[in-house]
Every structure is written in C-alpha cells, then in structure tokens.
Amino acid sequence: MPEGPEVETVRRTLLPHVVGARLGRAIVSRKALRTPVTARRFAPFDGAVVIDVKRHGKLMWLVVDDERGIWVRLGMTGQLTVVPRDAQRKPHTHVRLHLVHDNNDNNELRYVDPRRFGEVVPFTSRDALDEQRAQLGPDGLSLSDDDRVVVATALRKTDRAIKEALLDQRVIAGVGNIYAAEACFVARLNPERAGSSLSTKQALALADAAAAVLATAVVHNGTSFSNYVDAMGRQGDNYAHVFVFQREGKPCRVCARPIERVVQGARSTFWCRRCQR
DNA sequence: CCACTCCTGCGT
DNA sequence: ACGCAGGAGTGG
C-alpha cells in the first residue's frame, strides 16, 4: 500500500500516542512476516519508553534510545494502528504491543498485514538500522538542494525508463508506483524515456516533481484506494487529487485526452500522451 | 536488465 | 478461473 506520504501520515498520527508511552508485552500471533518475528525479540523492549518515531522513505522506526528501536516496513498491505486494547482484532493481526501511558494504559499498537510483505523488526544496535538506511537514497519528503542534484544525477546515469528509476529506493526513497507516475506527469515527461535521455534541467525538474507530489500527498493524508489507513484507522483523501494514477480512459485533468496505461517492469504506469513527452 | 517470488483479496 | 494490486528481494 504505502509509499512515503502514507508512511509519513502514519508516523504523524502515531506520534502523539506512542511518544512517552512505555512498551509492555508483545504478542506475536504470526511470525512469518518478510522477516520472521518472535515475541522473544521484543523482550529487551518490555518497559522501554518510546521517545520518537522517525522515517526515511518507506522505512519507519520507533526510537527507544541511541541504539535501540523497532523498525516497521508496511509492504503492500501493512497497517500500523493504535487501538483500545479490548478492540476486536481484525483478520491478519500479527503483532500487538501494549502501550502504557501514565494516565492511559488501555491502548495497544497493532500490526495488520494480509499479504505479509511487510515486517516489524526490533533492533538493539544502531548499526542494524543504519544498514537498512544505507540502502536508501535521499528521502523524497525532505530533499535538500544538494539532494535534488544527487537524485537528478542518478536519474541521468541510468538507461532505465525514468518511471522505473523513480521506483528504485536507492535513487530516491519513498516514491512508489502511484507517485512515480504522478511525478512523470507533473514534470511533463514520458515515463518510458530513458533516464540518460534527460537534460540536466529535465532531471532536476523530475526530482522536484517527485518531491512536490509526495508533499502534496502528505497534505491530503495519503492516497487510499483500498486498504491504506493512518494510525487512527482513517483513510487519506489524496486519491481525489491524482492526475493519472488508475485513471485509464478518463480525461487528462489538463488536456482532456484519455489517460493511457502501459506496463513497465510488470507494473502499471498511467500517463497522458499529449502532456508528457 | 528481466522474470519470478513471497502472500491474500478483490473485481471481472 | 484469472488478472491484478500501493513493495522489494533473488537468481539467471
């Protein structure tokens, strides 16, 4: 489900409920996530206080101290929500973590993931987290002036189609299938163009377009078309604002020509033949 | 590079 | 029954 904006929305909505909370017992009902998880691995966190929630691309982590925390990747269908402890469990609830606040000990953090492409990973060394982050390029939701040049340079260095290059988390972290297509539209570039065919100016424009579509999506609390929800279980409304994603046959919002669908790397890309060159 | 894999659910 | 799905890794 979730790309950078959805993960960021989960992070923000999670923050007030977990920062300052003490973690209690972990209950793991299904260990076969992308990385197998056991209740035993949560043992070092029993009684620990969460001090922050951070994010880089689609990777999010609860911070306990300089060395320890719990990272979460939502995969395609992961949901991380805070619910009353006595709330009915949805199907595919794999991990539950008790949250003990000074004045409210009735909530728990739940990880739900039907397809189990995601993971919840307790870590006890900063190196383990840094190793994960080392696989990621600059975070698309916090691109500095230097970062946008780094992204543009990476785009120009590959012969792959620009839309596929945008999906590569080493190029820019947090862009997924929705926003890769949206970024190509905003930059007015044909998604099948080779990265190496872009001028420096076009590559920078594409990096900026990616940053812009991600930022706009955060304003709308993410894109929900099937099962993405924030930490409170609420859907996002960015789906109403997309230019091309899943709009095959519908009129381009700029020129009214029907949006087309092509398959790139076994994934759908939506685009406007007139607006994008 | 590409095809294929993990897994479940939904719409046609 | 089949194709498709917002992610990401592997092996050829």
Side-chain angles (χ1 to χ4, degrees), chain A residues 7 11 15 52-56 59-63 133:
Chain A
V7 177
R11 188 191 74 82
L15 221 35
D52 204 355
V53 184
K54 295 187 180 261
R55 182 194 57 77
H56 181 170
L59 180 70
M60 170 172 46
W61 62 97
L62 309 187
V63 178
R133 297 188 63 187

Side-chain angles (χ1 to χ4, degrees), chain A residues 32-207:
Chain A
L33 305 182
R34 178 155 83 115
T35 299
V37 56
T38 58
R40 201 207 136 282
R41 301 225 31 214
F42 287 92
F45 296 90
D46 199 339
V49 174
V50 177
I51 61 170
D52 204 355
V53 184
K54 295 187 180 261
R55 182 194 57 77
H56 181 170
K58 306 169 193 171
L59 180 70
M60 170 172 46
W61 62 97
L62 309 187
V63 178
V64 166
D65 58 34
D66 284 346
E67 295 288 328
R68 300 183 299 156
I70 299 169
W71 82 61
V72 178
R73 255 189 263 261
L74 298 175
M76 290 277 253
T77 55
Q79 299 177 337
L80 192 63
T81 55
V82 175
V83 297
R85 201 175 294 172
D86 58 7
Q88 187 167 3
R89 244 173 295 154
K90 296 175 57 172
H92 308 292
T93 299
H94 306 309
V95 180
R96 287 180 289 153
L97 263 176
H98 289 188
L99 296 172
V100 186
H101 256 107
D102 287 344
N103 46 6
N104 174 9
D105 62 357
N106 289 323
N107 287 339
E108 63 185 20
L109 188 60
R110 292 187 181 175
Y111 182 70
V112 176
D113 187 358
R115 290 175 75 177
R116 309 205 310 275
F117 288 175
E119 62 185 11
V120 179
V121 180
F123 60 93
T124 52
S125 88
R126 165 169 282 281
D127 289 348
L129 176 65
D130 287 346
E131 204 173 294
Q132 297 297 313
R133 297 188 63 187
Q135 315 295 313
L136 303 175
D139 175 50
L141 278 164
S142 49
L143 279 193
S144 66
D145 286 350
D146 285 347
D147 289 339
R148 67 191 274 278
V149 175
V150 168
V151 172
T153 304
L155 287 168
R156 295 224 318 143
K157 224 163 50 182
T158 182
D159 291 330
R160 287 187 302 171
I162 55 174
K163 189 271 189 163
E164 295 189 73
L166 286 170
L167 290 177
D168 185 339
Q169 300 302 295
R170 293 167 301 191
V171 172
I172 176 170
V175 174
N177 206 43
I178 299 175
Y179 304 114
E182 294 298 310
C184 291
F185 180 86
V186 169
R188 303 179 66 83
L189 292 167
N190 182 329
E192 306 204 85
R193 287 267 303 262
S196 52
S197 79
L198 299 184
S199 68
T200 300
K201 192 176 165 185
Q202 288 174 322
L204 283 167
L206 185 53

